[in-house]
Amino acid sequence: MPVNRNALIRYRTIDNCLQNRYKKWTLDDLIEACSDALYEYQGIDKGVSRRSVQADIEMMRSNKLGYEAPIIVVDKKYYTYADKNYSITNSPINQQDMQVLSEVATLLKQFKGLNHFADLKEMVSKLEDKIYTQKTQSPPVIDFEKNDNLKGLEWIEIIRNAIVAKKTMCITYQSFKARVASTFCFSGYLLKEYRNRWFLLGKSHQRNSPLLNLALDRMQAIEMHTDDYRENKEIDMATYYNDVIGVSKTPGQRDCEVVFWIDNANAPYIITKPLHHTQKQLSEDADGKVFSIRVILNFELERELLGFGPKIKVLGPRILRKAIKEQLGKALEHYW
């Protein structure tokens, strides 16, 4: 069944709304969200009729598009998914889509051996595994790292669209240290993934605000705002994280050479999966090898090194040696 672009935008918008369980969604709320989405993506400013959204909901509930979305009404007023983990993006792939995906996978495979397309390898493997699973009704043969319970993933598409369109977001955010949430205008520049958590790099519109890194799993709400978007004219986002492990970094912070020794049993893990792209082997002895990396000192670096326990010894710089020693001392106190 052919579906026009406007309808797909409405389906995706309704889906995004119903996945956000922090808010109770009335039919009027869904109509407003669909109207805003059509204006943002298509420039249509006449809004969406109540009948259209009601028809969209029934279409999503049906199996005509393969969704069979478990949309229910609570208290005779609020729309939500009966299954909190449901999304139309997780729906089974129909035969026509399977044919298209197979052709795309075949095309992408032609580029897998080229250095410029190295990032496609994992994408193609995921796509091929999805096609195999769907065609054969078999369990996956590749288990990629994932966290199905991770919060904040519902914001990725909203944030990406805001960055591309250079639009200001109004974000309600509560850090782990804050007692209550705060709401502020924010211009986003870059979405960053680290260890299955997602972060948004950008600037708050509060006066003299530094560059901020916001965890998506701490966001409670995002809405578009009319405040002028503040473009990034200072930092090269393509290289901003080149000198860091993780996401913690302050603009202007300088990197330094980190030197560490690791025993022979664990050295192969460091060699085959370097801690950082600047890693070099400096020397070796009968018991282990000495490596160096050039990075900014931050919490994530300390956690990475501490993860090797007694198998590693930090040789420099002195400030990092002291920090690691203090952390190990505090850990030891828990076992007295």
Side-chain angles (χ1 to χ4, degrees), residues 5 8-17 19 37 40-41 87-89 151-167 169 171 188 190-192 198-200 216 219 222-224:
R5 178 175 172 80
L8 289 174
I9 291 173
R10 296 197 304 269
Y11 299 153
R12 186 62 182 270
T13 302
I14 294 171
D15 182 57
N16 286 335
C17 290
Q19 286 183 75
E40 179 179 353
Y41 295 114
S87 169
I88 61 174
T89 59
K151 295 181 179 179
L153 298 181
E154 67 270 22
W155 304 125
I156 291 179
E157 189 66 15
I158 296 172
I159 293 171
R160 190 193 71 83
N161 290 334
I163 295 174
V164 172
K166 295 184 178 179
K167 290 193 174 183
M169 292 171 281
I171 299 177
L190 181 69
L191 276 166
K192 169 73 173 176
W198 284 88
F199 301 84
L200 170 61
L216 268 62
M219 295 179 181
I222 300 179
E223 295 180 357
M224 295 302 110

Side-chain angles (χ1 to χ4, degrees), residues 315-330:
L315 304 177
R318 183 179 301 174
I319 186 173
L320 180 60
R321 277 178 58 89
K322 182 179 179 181
I324 295 293
K325 183 177 180 180
E326 289 177 354
Q327 293 291 345
L328 291 172
K330 291 178 180 178

Side-chain angles (χ1 to χ4, degrees), residues 125-170:
S125 295
K126 286 182 177 180
L127 183 56
E128 288 180 322
D129 193 49
K130 181 69 174 178
I131 294 170
Y132 167 80
T133 303
Q134 188 70 28
K135 280 184 175 179
T136 63
Q137 298 297 306
S138 303
V141 295
I142 304 178
D143 186 14
F144 288 95
E145 184 177 0
K146 57 186 178 296
N147 185 349
D148 294 332
N149 297 318
L150 185 64
K151 295 181 179 179
L153 298 181
E154 67 270 22
W155 304 125
I156 291 179
E157 189 66 15
I158 296 172
I159 293 171
R160 190 193 71 83
N161 290 334
I163 295 174
V164 172
K166 295 184 178 179
K167 290 193 174 183
T168 295
M169 292 171 281
C170 183

Side-chain angles (χ1 to χ4, degrees), residues 36-228:
D36 291 343
L38 285 178
Y39 177 73
E40 179 179 353
Y41 295 114
Q42 298 288 80
I44 299 173
D45 58 3
K46 63 181 180 180
V48 179
S49 70
R50 177 176 292 263
R51 180 178 295 179
S52 292
V53 174
Q54 288 174 325
D56 291 339
I57 292 173
E58 290 308 310
M59 180 64 75
M60 291 171 68
R61 282 171 169 161
S62 74
N63 63 358
K64 293 180 180 178
L65 298 176
Y67 296 153
E68 297 186 75
I71 301 173
I72 59 174
V73 181
V74 180
D75 297 332
K76 300 181 180 181
K77 185 176 182 180
Y78 303 110
Y79 289 78
T80 188
Y81 282 141
D83 179 0
K84 67 178 182 179
N85 296 316
Y86 179 83
S87 169
I88 61 174
T89 59
N90 297 331
S91 299
I93 305 169
N94 61 40
Q95 195 61 39
Q96 183 178 357
D97 291 338
M98 283 291 298
Q99 180 63 33
V100 173
L101 285 177
S102 297
E103 293 174 1
V104 170
T106 301
L107 177 62
L108 291 177
K109 284 173 67 175
Q110 299 178 38
F111 298 98
K112 285 174 66 176
L114 301 179
N115 291 335
H116 293 298
F117 296 93
D119 291 341
L120 288 177
K121 293 179 181 179
E122 182 176 332
M123 183 194 307
V124 173
S125 295
K126 286 182 177 180
L127 183 56
E128 288 180 322
D129 193 49
K130 181 69 174 178
I131 294 170
Y132 167 80
T133 303
Q134 188 70 28
K135 280 184 175 179
T136 63
Q137 298 297 306
S138 303
V141 295
I142 304 178
D143 186 14
F144 288 95
E145 184 177 0
K146 57 186 178 296
N147 185 349
D148 294 332
N149 297 318
L150 185 64
K151 295 181 179 179
L153 298 181
E154 67 270 22
W155 304 125
I156 291 179
E157 189 66 15
I158 296 172
I159 293 171
R160 190 193 71 83
N161 290 334
I163 295 174
V164 172
K166 295 184 178 179
K167 290 193 174 183
T168 295
M169 292 171 281
C170 183
I171 299 177
T172 301
Y173 188 85
Q174 183 175 2
S175 69
F176 287 119
K177 296 180 180 179
R179 293 185 177 181
V180 296
S182 60
T183 302
F184 47 86
C185 289
F186 195 85
S187 292
Y189 304 142
L190 181 69
L191 276 166
K192 169 73 173 176
E193 183 187 17
Y194 178 66
R195 288 190 168 180
N196 273 340
R197 288 187 74 202
W198 284 88
F199 301 84
L200 170 61
L201 188 67
K203 274 195 174 182
S204 166
H205 289 199
Q206 296 171 346
R207 180 176 294 182
N208 299 323
S209 174
L211 199 65
L212 296 178
N213 216 345
L214 305 180
L216 268 62
D217 55 24
R218 305 307 302 162
M219 295 179 181
Q220 297 181 3
I222 300 179
E223 295 180 357
M224 295 302 110
H225 199 275
T226 56
D227 209 7
D228 288 340

